[in-house]
């Protein structure tokens, strides 16, 4: 039996605008998928003092829309997008854009793999155009994945 590695790792490719984060969670893929697709996101999609998601809603189906809002660095924000692929409990793909920002949305992919004792979650966030956002978002995904791996095993 392998030991669950609950500390997330995140890497930002500052040239191509890609972030990859990974964490192992001591819960089955079905339970992790639920945490990705419900208002439960507000419990883990955070970086305390930097990025605080307070509201989330989504129509989790291909073509369905989602939105999240909260406070980032003291200012309100709203994110929104569309679900491109929904394959419970293995994969979720969605667009991601900040309300009011120009340009093409980035694409967020969650991959869930059953492992001994739980789930390996890999987050792939591609198409992040602004270079200054890449390092910040990399740190954000790492802290959010860490938070998810801490709280999810303690919940039903």
């Amino acid at each position: 039996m392998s030991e669950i590695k609950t500390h997330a790792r995140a890497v930002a490719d500052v040239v191509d605008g890609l972030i990859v984060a990974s964490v192992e969670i001591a819960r089955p893929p079905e339970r992790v998928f639920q945490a990705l697709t419900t208002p439960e996101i507000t419990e883990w999609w955070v970086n305390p003092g930097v990025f605080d998601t307070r509201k989330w809603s989504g129509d989790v189906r291909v073509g369905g829309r989602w939105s999240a809002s909260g406070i980032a660095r003291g200012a309100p924000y709203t994110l929104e997008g569309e679900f491109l692929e929904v394959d419970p409990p293995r994969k979720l793909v969605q667009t991601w854009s900040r309300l009011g920002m120009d340009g093409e949305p980035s694409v967020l992919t969650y991959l869930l793999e059953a492992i001994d004792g739980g789930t390996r979650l890999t987050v792939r966030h591609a198409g992040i155009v602004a270079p200054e956002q890449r390092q910040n978002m990399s740190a954000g995904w790492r802290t959010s994945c860490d938070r998810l791996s801490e709280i999810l095993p303690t919940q039903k």
Side-chain angles (χ1 to χ4, degrees):
M1 184 158 132
S2 67
E3 183 178 326
I4 297 290
K5 297 173 185 79
T6 59
H7 293 290
R9 290 166 282 183
V11 176
D13 181 331
V14 294
V15 174
D16 290 333
L18 171 67
I19 295 167
V20 178
S22 180
V23 69
E24 295 177 0
I25 302 167
R27 292 304 296 261
E30 294 80 8
R31 180 63 184 94
V32 176
F33 194 87
Q34 177 186 345
L36 304 177
T37 58
T38 66
E40 187 174 0
I41 282 176
T42 62
E43 297 174 30
W44 63 269
W45 212 6
V46 297
N47 184 352
V50 179
F51 182 82
D52 181 16
T53 303
R54 297 183 177 174
K55 223 170 143 182
W56 183 92
S57 65
D59 179 10
V60 186
R61 62 176 177 80
V62 173
R65 305 286 302 170
W66 69 273
S67 68
S69 60
I71 303 295
R73 291 188 165 78
Y77 74 87
T78 299
L79 301 170
E80 60 183 4
E82 177 182 348
F83 291 105
L84 303 176
E85 188 174 342
V86 180
D87 182 14
R90 294 184 300 262
K91 188 176 185 181
L92 182 68
V93 181
Q94 62 199 70
T95 61
W96 167 297
S97 62
R98 190 166 182 156
L99 189 64
M101 298 295 280
D102 293 331
E104 292 295 313
S106 56
V107 177
L108 177 62
T109 302
Y110 295 104
L111 299 171
L112 297 87
E113 175 188 358
I115 59 172
D116 192 19
T119 303
R120 178 176 298 112
L121 172 64
T122 302
V123 178
R124 185 180 191 278
H125 198 157
I128 303 164
V129 177
E132 66 277 3
Q133 288 183 329
R134 296 172 189 161
Q135 289 296 342
N136 291 339
M137 292 179 83
S138 178
W141 280 117
R142 189 188 75 255
T143 58
S144 291
C145 288
D146 275 343
R147 175 79 177 139
L148 182 61
S149 72
E150 290 168 7
I151 66 168
L152 201 55
T154 66
Q155 299 176 342
K156 292 182 180 181

